[in-house]
Amino acid sequence: MDSDSKTEAIKRAKVLMVGAGGIGCELLKTLALSGFQDIHIIDMDTIEVSNLNRQFLFRQSHVGQSKAKVARDVVLRFMPRICITPYHANVKDPEFNVDFFKKFNVILNGLDNLDARRHVNRLCLAAEVPLVESGTTGFLGQVTVHIKGRTECYECQPKPTPKTYPVCTITSTPSKFVHCIVWAKDLLFAKLFGDRNQENDLFVHTGDGSDSVKPTDDIFERGLDEVPVQYGRKIYDHVFGYNIEVALANEETWKNRRRPRPIFLGDVLPEKLILQNGNLEKNCLTEDLSLSAMSSLGLNNPQEIWSLAENSRLFLEALRLFIERRGKDIGSLTFDKDDQLAIEFVTAAANIRASSFGIPLHSLFDAKGIAGNIVHAVATTNAIIAGLIVIEAIKVLEADFQNCRMTYCLEHPCQKMLLMPVEPFEANKSCYVCSETPLLLEVNTQTSTLRDFVDKIVKNKLGMSFPLIMQGAILIFEGGDDLEEDIAANYALNLDKVLTALPAPVTSGSMLTVEDLQQELSCHINIKHRSLLMLASETFSTCNVASSKLQEGGV
């Protein structure tokens, strides 16, 4: 295709971007400057202060506003003649269905979570629209092209569970306990006991971007005449109470999310217990002579899940012991999971934050075993990946499929290259998403319930949002917000029944058909009974859905 034809193809193209964050900001700018005239953007997030160091379309005054809408407005200032349509919404909303995706010539992903990527992949397959997928982690990044019938789909290869988490999720919208652990360890612990000159994301701002209080340097600085219990109360009320109140002021953030609850120390512990917490003489050493707030408070079982009040007492006591017994180390500490006092503090802080956001609390034993770390985004990597996305998108628009490449951005040169292009792989014949290969599920049908199957296999492993489950012509379960109440209640009656006790019993040899009408995805699952005496909650613990066999329950 000559230059004029290429330019015309770009101008005629209708492009959908999903995600207006680190990659998305760079991608929108690059698309606009490359001549694209009709761009649509979907993003459900609002702008946070922590975005400003790498998402360069946004400024302080934009904090609290829709990412998609602000990105559109900023780009139109320097490219006023193009059309950019923003959607402040979740890509999984019903309005973004297969018919919606069919309107576009190519879909460009700049997402930060596996669930949404899988959803977009399935809609692209159903709509038969090419997908250019991308991602970055620090200095690493990749761009992959997925075209139905020509290349593998996004789900042809099994994806490891992500072990890094977006900063925005950690600081603003945690939904899992691991998010609270990472917040407590990498933000709060680091701010209180590490290098206080190092920037982190505990700064608090109002929705319009102006400081609502003096910067957190004043909050986290302990006064000379401030006793540990007063200091602890100030920190507690600030991070678990005031910060949450400020976050709640931004209504846009909570339209599609559960609202958190501000927690102030006076609402959790009586005044007498607060003052007593740091004044009683107690044995604060473990058997191996490690400093321990647990021992000081008489909390002896690390596998017990403590109440909000107990976690609050542990938070105050751990902070007191750091100040009084390890004061010389404050300012140079880094988190170590084998540091007893550090893991106690982090567990308590994570549990208090989890309580605020409606997340189940965990024991110290579980908290210690949770691995989480943030790999901070690198703006240069985002810019490189955005450029590669546009290059591949242009190839797709030209129908130059033989020259499409999957490109990996490397941290260190390999064969004297930092960008490693490879030809796209063929579709995996065992992929249940794009090849319709039946799956085999080995499970104890006598102990596993329909709820286990729906939540842990259909929704978690297969990634379906509104599943419909059939055995032959009999409908066993249907999910969705638009179901009539009596029908939904009828299905709910079956959820806690074991598979063999359903109205249409599921036994060894049964074949289930599972569909998601929104994704237009259907797959068949052959059931094989495995009579292992395990709890129903454990029978769905391992599953590789990229292969044609799902093995459950272990050997």
Side-chain angles (χ1 to χ4, degrees):
M1 183 178 286
D2 58 36
S3 178
D4 291 340
S5 299
K6 180 182 296 186
T7 301
E8 191 61 29
I10 291 173
K11 287 183 177 180
R12 287 199 313 266
K14 188 171 185 176
V15 175
L16 174 64
M17 282 177 48
V18 187
I23 295 175
C25 280
E26 295 294 334
L27 178 57
L28 180 59
K29 174 202 70 177
T30 307
L31 287 170
L33 294 175
S34 299
F36 286 83
Q37 302 290 305
D38 190 357
I39 307 167
H40 293 238
I41 320 167
I42 301 173
D43 196 301
M44 69 180 289
D45 286 334
T46 53
I47 298 163
E48 302 289 341
V49 174
S50 58
N51 302 149
L52 302 182
N53 69 343
R54 64 192 180 282
Q55 298 174 20
F56 298 135
L57 295 181
F58 307 144
R59 297 292 183 267
Q60 189 82 24
S61 60
H62 297 141
V63 171
Q65 299 179 44
S66 162
K67 285 187 176 182
K69 293 177 181 178
V70 171
R72 183 272 310 268
D73 294 343
V74 172
V75 170
L76 287 181
R77 289 179 194 166
F78 59 86
M79 296 295 291
R81 296 185 181 180
I82 67 174
C83 178
I84 303 175
T85 306
Y87 305 87
H88 181 59
N90 190 332
V91 71
K92 297 182 73 174
D93 289 346
E95 64 184 291
F96 305 119
N97 54 21
V98 174
D99 289 335
F100 177 83
F101 271 63
K102 284 181 178 178
K103 299 175 184 177
F104 301 96
N105 301 106
V106 65
I107 312 297
L108 311 178
N109 258 2
L111 289 163
D112 61 6
N113 71 88
L114 181 61
D115 184 47
R117 284 184 168 118
R118 292 163 71 179
H119 184 78
V120 171
N121 174 62
R122 295 170 187 190
L123 289 175
C124 287
L125 288 170
E128 299 189 7
V129 179
L131 168 66
V132 182
E133 178 61 72
S134 68
T136 63
T137 304
F139 293 103
L140 306 177
Q142 75 280 333
V143 174
T144 56
V145 181
H146 307 283
I147 304 169
K148 186 175 182 178
R150 291 180 177 272
T151 72
E152 67 176 7
C153 79
Y154 176 74
E155 295 175 78
C156 274
Q157 304 298 329
K159 302 295 188 295
T161 302
K163 293 186 178 180
T164 60
Y165 305 94
V167 172
C168 305
T169 300
I170 300 303
T171 58
S172 306
T173 56
S175 59
K176 300 177 182 178
F177 187 71
V178 64
H179 299 157
C180 301
I181 286 286
V182 175
W183 175 87
K185 174 173 69 76
D186 290 335
L187 297 183
L188 185 59
F189 184 93
K191 187 67 179 177
L192 288 171
F193 309 120
D195 182 359
R196 288 186 178 154
N197 294 320
Q198 182 177 345
E199 281 196 29
N200 75 27
D201 297 292
L202 284 175
F203 287 88
V204 182
H205 296 76
T206 59
D208 62 2
S210 60
D211 286 353
S212 51
V213 294
K214 288 185 177 181
T216 54
D217 285 337
D218 293 340
I219 294 293
F220 288 94
E221 190 69 35
R222 178 171 164 253
L224 294 176
D225 58 347
E226 199 170 24
V227 298
V229 68
Q230 292 174 323
Y231 179 65
R233 182 172 194 158
K234 179 179 72 173
I235 298 300
Y236 187 109
D237 287 348
H238 183 76
V239 297
F240 302 120
Y242 181 76
N243 277 18
I244 303 300
E245 285 186 337
V246 172
L248 286 170
N250 183 11
E251 294 292 339
E252 285 287 345
T253 300
W254 311 110
K255 275 188 175 180
N256 301 305
R257 295 184 175 95
R258 177 174 178 171
R259 295 171 66 87
R261 171 175 64 99
I263 299 175
F264 292 89
L265 188 59
D267 298 330
V268 179
L269 296 175
E271 190 69 22
K272 181 179 179 181
L273 197 55
I274 294 173
L275 296 174
Q276 189 183 66
N277 202 73
N279 289 333
L280 291 180
E281 286 297 323
K282 315 174 186 87
N283 177 21
C284 52
L285 297 177
T286 61
E287 292 181 359
D288 63 357
L289 301 182
S290 298
L291 197 59
S292 171
M294 281 177 59
S295 298
S296 179
L297 295 172
L299 300 172
N300 300 317
N301 185 1
Q303 297 190 24
E304 180 183 355
I305 297 177
W306 301 312
S307 67
L308 174 59
E310 288 171 323
N311 277 290
S312 299
R313 294 190 68 200
L314 187 66
F315 178 90
L316 294 177
E317 187 67 1
L319 185 57
R320 180 184 77 87
L321 290 175
F322 267 115
I323 293 171
E324 294 183 354
R325 302 295 183 90
R326 296 175 62 178
K328 66 180 186 301
D329 297 327
I330 293 176
S332 60
L333 286 170
T334 56
F335 176 78
D336 180 357
K337 65 180 178 61
D338 296 319
D339 181 332
Q340 179 66 23
L341 194 58
I343 192 61
E344 289 171 352
F345 177 86
V346 165
T347 299
N351 273 325
I352 299 167
R353 185 165 173 83
S355 180
S356 177
F357 282 86
I359 300 168
L361 277 58
H362 285 59
S363 68
L364 183 139
F365 179 84
D366 289 333
K368 188 173 182 179
I370 292 174
N373 66 87
I374 301 173
V375 179
H376 292 285
V378 177
T380 307
T381 310
N382 289 338
I384 292 170
I385 292 301
L388 292 170
I389 294 171
V390 175
I391 290 172
E392 296 305 321
I394 292 172
K395 294 177 186 176
V396 168
L397 295 174
E398 293 178 296
D400 186 15
F401 302 126
Q402 68 272 17
N403 285 319
C404 287
R405 294 291 182 268
M406 300 193 302
T407 306
Y408 297 89
C409 183
L410 309 177
E411 184 172 357
H412 303 289
C414 179
Q415 299 178 8
K416 298 183 179 180
M417 292 189 293
L418 283 173
L419 296 179
M420 182 67 68
V422 298
E423 292 188 16
F425 300 125
E426 294 182 357
N428 180 356
K429 294 180 180 179
S430 296
C431 176
Y432 74 96
V433 177
C434 66
S435 69
E436 301 182 1
T437 299
L439 298 168
L440 173 63
L441 174 63
E442 296 183 359
V443 63
N444 190 330
T445 58
Q446 297 172 357
T447 60
S448 301
T449 65
L450 179 61
R451 187 186 302 277
D452 292 323
F453 180 73
V454 171
D455 291 345
K456 299 180 180 180
I457 294 296
V458 178
K459 290 185 176 180
N460 187 26
K461 298 298 184 181
L462 300 184
M464 295 188 180
S465 302
F466 302 107
L468 183 150
I469 304 170
M470 299 183 68
Q471 181 173 202
I474 300 175
L475 183 60
I476 297 175
F477 177 83
E478 184 176 4
D481 297 332
D482 57 348
L483 289 179
E484 295 181 6
E485 287 187 12
D486 56 335
I487 296 177
N490 191 38
Y491 289 133
L493 292 175
N494 291 327
L495 283 174
D496 292 319
K497 294 180 180 179
V498 297
L499 297 178
T500 53
L502 293 172
V506 176
T507 59
S508 196
S510 297
M511 174 181 275
L512 300 180
T513 300
V514 184
E515 299 182 15
D516 189 308
L517 300 181
Q518 183 186 12
Q519 298 175 352
E520 294 195 11
L521 174 67
S522 176
C523 66
H524 301 291
I525 302 178
N526 292 315
I527 302 296
K528 181 179 179 180
H529 175 71
R530 173 181 278 185
S531 55
L532 293 176
L533 297 177
M534 299 182 66
L535 294 174
S537 61
E538 297 174 345
T539 54
F540 294 98
S541 59
T542 58
C543 169
N544 178 4
V545 295
S547 69
S548 59
K549 186 175 183 179
L550 304 174
Q551 290 189 341
E552 301 302 329
V555 292

